[in-house]
Amino acid sequence: MPQAPAIPRATRRRHDREIVGLAVPAFGALVAEPLFVMADSAIVGHLGTAQLAGLGVASALLTTAVSVFVFLAYATTAAVARRVGAGDLRAAIRQGMDGIWLALLLGAAVIVAVLPTASQLVSLFGASHTAAPYAASYLRISALGIPAMLVVLAATGVLRGLQDTRTPLYVAVAGFVANGALNAGLVYGAGLGIAGSAWGTVIAQFGMALVYLVVVVRGARRHGASLRPDAAGIRACAQAGVPLLVRTLSLRAILMIATAVAARLGDADIAAHQIILSLWSLLAFALDAIAIAGQAIIGRYLGAGDALGARDACRRMVQWGVAVGTLLGLLVIVARPAFLPLFTSDPTVTDTALPALLMVALSQPVCGVVFVLDGVLMGAGDGPYLAVAMLLTLAVFAPVALLVPALGGGLTALWAAMTLMMAVRMLTLWLRARSGRWIVTGASR
């Protein structure tokens, strides 16, 4: 960021209230999402090992499919927030409806692609002959809920853009409770087995989507926004989402390469890697909550034509990112000895994970800056730059990671490569933020 006068205390306090007010509920909603899979695993796990293995494969496929379309939330948040800042709530909700219609179209396309190929997909993911039938059954049923899952993403983006992260938190918590109750009732009460778990999740997802639609439709009627699909608006949403899709796919490729390299290092290394990756993902939720606040706040400031406010908010959120990242890093260092026994009693895995966890801890302040600036640039609608920056990061990370086993490096070396990846991301994002080219004011970019 360029040198600028210190932010006045009153302005800092206002920014702090906005960040906390948006980030804390967003964090709660983010944490609730993986609890769906955990609840399914806990219930299905008592059916047998094959069923649990099938659930694991199907869940991985579903998570990958949905994460690819996370741009529905990101792009919608930025576009809606800009129009909120411009004082045009009618256009803001209309923009959100275009995102929801796009979600329905994409969800329908995924169903058409997944239903006839479910068996082939689970085989491609390496499901055993005993787990494959359960995985295919769960995948076919759960695929029916993908449109609802994508509507939830888009509608969450609408509410975030409207500066409301509390409603998504309430819906996520209610959805988690309903999912657990439905799964238990259908798996054991109705005797449907793993299919009951899939149906329970689908019903919970459609319930969440319905709640979101009721909220958005009420807002549309209150402000006189049309609910009908608009081809031009849907096309604009899709075009805005393409760069973010490239960014997301590049990030998924990085994580897949890291897992593939860990697998080549040996059983203890891949086991330790999975434990560390789960922790890394949990830490990412806390930092991503600040990024979500950044998307909403920056979009609103730019929509209102307040370039100085956007720049000051960016600086303050970077300070938050560094502070939270440092705190998380210290917690990881302190909790390392107590954390690992929760996942494994194998001393070989523990010894492998300990030094790699230290690398994760040291990287957290960098991660804090990365997540915040990522959110800032998303809120500014700077998707094309984010796509190019992530492709560059992938190009740097891939050869370095692939050299780890060739040079005799272990898991710590692999996570050093992951830290390098985050450092490259920080550099590319910081250069963009410093340039000020992301600051484009107005109701649309």
Side-chain angles (χ1 to χ4, degrees), residues 5-220:
I7 304 173
R9 180 177 296 179
T11 302
R12 288 203 309 269
R13 288 178 176 174
R14 186 180 74 249
H15 288 319
D16 290 345
R17 286 194 298 270
E18 288 183 330
I19 293 167
V20 172
L22 291 170
V24 172
F27 174 69
L30 289 170
V31 170
E33 292 174 8
L35 293 179
F36 272 76
V37 177
M38 290 179 63
D40 288 0
S41 299
I43 293 171
V44 171
H46 292 287
L47 293 174
T49 301
Q51 289 90 333
L52 184 58
L55 173 66
V57 171
S59 294
L61 284 163
L62 289 165
T63 300
T64 300
V66 174
S67 66
V68 165
F69 297 112
V70 73
F71 70 83
L72 289 166
Y74 294 158
T76 304
T77 297
V80 171
R82 274 186 175 270
R83 285 158 178 78
V84 168
D88 192 347
L89 289 177
R90 179 179 179 179
I93 296 176
R94 174 64 263 181
Q95 179 77 38
M97 285 303 307
D98 291 335
I100 290 172
W101 279 112
L102 176 61
L104 286 170
L105 291 173
L106 291 173
V110 172
I111 288 178
V112 171
V114 169
L115 286 183
T117 61
S119 297
Q120 291 84 348
L121 287 172
V122 298
S123 296
L124 185 64
F125 261 58
S128 67
H129 70 280
T130 54
Y134 296 112
S137 174
Y138 189 94
L139 182 59
R140 288 192 187 95
I141 297 170
S142 294
L144 300 176
I146 287 180
M149 296 167 73
L150 299 189
V151 166
V152 167
L153 283 177
T156 299
V158 175
L159 295 181
R160 288 174 181 169
L162 293 171
Q163 317 296 296
D164 175 10
T165 55
R166 291 182 180 273
T167 300
L169 171 60
Y170 301 148
V171 175
V173 171
F176 168 70
V177 173
N179 178 67
L182 285 166
N183 280 7
L186 293 173
V187 170
Y188 297 112
L192 296 180
I194 193 171
S197 177
W199 281 117
T201 301
V202 168
I203 294 169
Q205 289 162 349
F206 271 99
M208 293 170 65
L210 181 60
V211 172
Y212 275 119
L213 289 175
V214 168
V215 173
V216 174
V217 168
R218 283 179 178 173

Side-chain angles (χ1 to χ4, degrees), residues 240-267:
V242 169
L244 295 180
L245 175 62
V246 173
R247 167 201 168 276
T248 300
L249 290 174
S250 300
L251 180 57
R252 296 296 300 183
I254 286 171
L255 297 177
M256 290 176 65
I257 289 171
T259 300
V261 170
R264 291 177 61 187
L265 296 175
D267 290 346

